[in-house]
Amino acid sequence: MSETIYRNATVPDIPGMLDLWRCFWPPQSYEANLERKITKDPGLVCVAECDGKIVGTIIGGFDDWWAWIYRVAVRPEYQRRGIGVRLFREMHRRLAARGADGVCLIASPSNKSMCGLLKKIGYNEKEDRRFSLVL
Ligand SMILES: CC(C)(COP(=O)(O)OP(=O)(O)OC[C@H]1O[C@@H](n2cnc3c(N)ncnc32)[C@H](O)[C@@H]1OP(=O)(O)O)[C@@H](O)C(=O)NCCC(=O)NCCS
């Protein structure tokens, strides 16, 4: 296994990102959304790359107040190696640099891996499946 690289996503990464998401979610036509987001907000779509493929993703959104995080995923065979934590750290750094005071996300309380990860990095659980962290 090669070293894992964390970097901004680019348009040619889109097929690899969609392939990774198909491990967890039903296929959806996100090509146009991803291309728009990568082009409009370079730096707020981050990928982990290892062994020549995309093994992790995270997307940030910022509306000049609080920030949101979406589409956190790590390829099953690469999980429990700290890639999820590192993706969050990378995105927190990018969002804080843009002025975000804090970050929210939605996760199901029954999602043990995500809830375990959020607890480990200090997120607070709010009502309605919402988790938050002051940056
Ligand atoms: C959630 C997810 C991104 C975690 O990625 P990861 O790279 O395995 O996470 P890390 O290796 O950084 O794990 C960090 C901590 O999270 C917790 N954790 C991760 N997986 C866990 C699991 N299956 N059960 C319980 N805790 C878990 C642990 O505290 C872990 O620390 P440890 O390994 O020292 O015990 C990954 O499981 C995933 O892609 N899940 C499917 C997609 C998904 O559900 N995304 C979220 C949608 S809201």
Side-chain angles (χ1 to χ4, degrees), residues 23-68:
C23 298
F24 308 111
W25 298 296
Q28 284 190 274
S29 305
Y30 278 140
E31 285 89 348
N33 303 47
L34 263 175
E35 183 162 352
R36 187 173 60 238
K37 177 73 178 168
I38 288 169
T39 308
K40 179 172 170 266
D41 267 344
L44 292 189
V45 185
C46 182
V47 294
E49 183 180 2
C50 187
D51 300 330
K53 57 180 179 278
I54 303 296
V55 300
T57 61
I58 191 166
I59 297 177
F62 181 47
D63 62 5
D64 299 317
W65 201 270
W66 270 54
W68 285 84

Side-chain angles (χ1 to χ4, degrees), residues 56-127:
T57 61
I58 191 166
I59 297 177
F62 181 47
D63 62 5
D64 299 317
W65 201 270
W66 270 54
W68 285 84
I69 282 180
Y70 311 93
R71 291 274 148 173
V72 184
V74 174
R75 195 168 271 284
E77 62 273 29
Y78 290 82
Q79 291 181 3
R80 297 308 284 264
R81 300 169 192 268
I83 294 174
V85 168
R86 180 70 189 274
L87 284 168
F88 268 96
R89 302 260 185 255
E90 290 287 328
M91 189 51 67
H92 290 164
R93 192 168 54 74
R94 290 161 159 78
L95 291 167
R98 287 166 189 242
D101 293 330
V103 61
C104 292
L105 60 82
I106 302 285
S108 166
S110 65
N111 187 336
K112 299 284 173 238
S113 55
M114 189 61 169
C115 291
L117 170 52
L118 294 172
K119 188 171 175 200
K120 180 166 183 163
I121 56 180
Y123 274 74
N124 291 308
E125 187 171 356
K126 308 284 189 190
E127 69 290 351

